[in-house]
């Protein structure tokens, strides 16, 4: 056994056998199929605030709720409202559609199994990095019983930043502060859009891209993903990939 000074052990979280990892999962089309409920939430929130339905559906594809709602108002020539008012409308719309989501949507193949396997790793933190506000992220994962398998308190959400790459630092800081993860521990994003890939590359994070949404494997590779999976059903292979990130 190495003779590691106590102060180094406490400061760096360094001891034999530790391989920390922060795994951050996207939600829509990565963990769940929302069957169109997401766009209904945006439309309902918009209508509640504007007094009329939006002229065009929300553009999502990995964008944050802040950006989605801002653009919806701009496209209809309306002034941007105070964010706290918009967030409250989104949360109400999401809560009202919980049963619709549970009835029409589903957890995607292999999701429950890989989340269980990752949550069982003692030195790993498994949470979400999503464009959804926290309230609606909770609605979406709890609709399919996934919430006990995720450490949602350290996640990063659509109210935390306008652009997706900025969410990585939010999740990292929360993991350090709330779970004692060391500064510099590796981060891996798992998501289905080029924006997930771009967020990982922009922040020095690892990326596992899954072609379970509207983007093809070729599009995800073109965005810069080195690891692309058809979905999350191969638990053993996914754990092997995550282990390689943890060992870096």
């Amino acid at each position: 056994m190495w003779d590691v000074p106590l102060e180094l052990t406490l400061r760096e979280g360094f001891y034999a056998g530790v391989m920390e990892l922060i795994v951050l999962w996207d939600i829509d089309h990565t963990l769940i199929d929302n069957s169109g409920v997401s766009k209904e939430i945006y439309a309902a929130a918009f209508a509640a605030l504007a007094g009329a339905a939006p002229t065009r559906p929300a553009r999502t594809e990995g964008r944050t709720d802040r950006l989605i709602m801002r653009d919806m108002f701009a496209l209809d020539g309306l002034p941007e409202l105070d964010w706290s008012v918009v967030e409250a409308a989104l949360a109400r719309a999401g809560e009202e559609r919980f049963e619709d989501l549970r009835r029409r949507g589903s957890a995607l193949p292999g999701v429950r199994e890989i989340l269980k396997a990752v949550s069982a790793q003692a030195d790993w933190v498994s949470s979400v990095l999503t464009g959804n506000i926290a309230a609606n992220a909770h609605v979406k994962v709890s609709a399919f019983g996934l919430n006990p398998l995720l450490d949602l308190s350290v996640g990063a959400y659509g109210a935390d930043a306008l652009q997706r790459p900025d969410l990585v630092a939010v999740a990292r800081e929360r993991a350090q502060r709330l779970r004692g993860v060391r500064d510099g521990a590796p981060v891996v994003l798992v998501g289905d859009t080029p924006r997930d890939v771009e967020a990982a590359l922009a922040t020095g994070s690892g990326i596992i891209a899954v072609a379970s949404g509207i983007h093809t494997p070729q599009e995800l590779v073109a965005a810069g993903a080195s690891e692309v999976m058809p979905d999350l059903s191969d638990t053993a292979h996914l754990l092997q990939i995550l282990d390689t990130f943890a060992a870096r």
Side-chain angles (χ1 to χ4, degrees), residues 7-243:
E7 63 271 19
L8 179 61
T9 302
L10 295 174
R11 186 173 68 251
E12 303 295 339
F14 173 71
Y15 57 91
V18 169
M19 290 197 301
E20 290 182 322
L21 185 65
I22 303 170
V23 186
L24 301 172
W25 310 85
D26 174 51
I27 296 178
D28 293 297
H29 309 296
T30 298
L31 297 182
I32 73 163
D33 175 2
N34 66 61
S35 292
V37 173
S38 266
K39 292 196 175 182
E40 293 170 14
I41 290 171
Y42 296 120
F46 180 95
L49 296 171
T55 56
R56 280 162 281 193
R59 289 178 53 240
T60 54
E61 296 181 29
R63 299 158 84 237
T64 66
D65 280 0
R66 278 182 177 269
L67 193 56
I68 290 166
M69 294 300 292
R70 187 188 74 176
D71 287 357
M72 288 180 75
F73 279 94
L75 286 169
D76 275 35
L78 299 174
E80 186 176 0
L81 299 179
D82 181 81
W83 169 247
S84 64
V85 175
V86 177
E87 184 175 13
L90 281 169
R92 285 192 299 272
E95 184 179 2
E96 289 167 356
R97 283 156 185 78
F98 177 83
E99 291 299 334
D100 283 345
L101 179 62
R102 186 160 62 176
R103 184 179 67 255
R104 290 160 48 191
S106 63
L108 287 170
V111 163
R112 206 172 308 276
E113 292 75 17
I114 188 60
L115 291 183
K116 285 180 181 178
V118 172
S119 68
Q121 304 296 313
D123 301 320
W124 294 5
V125 171
S126 180
S127 190
V128 296
L129 189 144
T130 174
N132 292 283
I133 61 170
N136 288 348
H138 187 270
V139 162
K140 289 178 177 182
V141 296
S142 62
F144 309 108
L146 303 177
N147 48 312
L149 304 176
L150 293 159
D151 190 350
L152 295 175
S153 63
V154 302
Y157 303 93
D160 293 324
L162 188 65
Q163 301 294 343
R164 196 174 192 94
D166 296 329
L167 296 178
V168 176
V170 173
R172 181 185 286 282
E173 186 278 331
R174 287 174 178 162
Q176 292 170 5
R177 175 167 48 86
L178 298 175
R179 298 295 173 261
V181 175
R182 65 180 171 84
D183 185 23
V187 175
V188 179
L189 308 187
V190 186
D192 67 289
T193 73
R195 281 191 173 86
D196 295 294
V197 179
E198 291 159 8
L201 297 178
T203 59
S205 305
I207 179 68
I208 299 175
V210 285
S212 46
I214 66 171
H215 295 284
T216 65
Q218 293 77 17
E219 289 175 311
L220 296 170
V221 169
S226 57
E227 297 286 351
V228 179
M229 308 281 289
D231 54 34
L232 298 176
S233 60
D234 192 340
T235 303
H237 185 46
L238 281 162
L239 283 176
Q240 288 176 353
I241 297 171
L242 290 169
D243 273 330

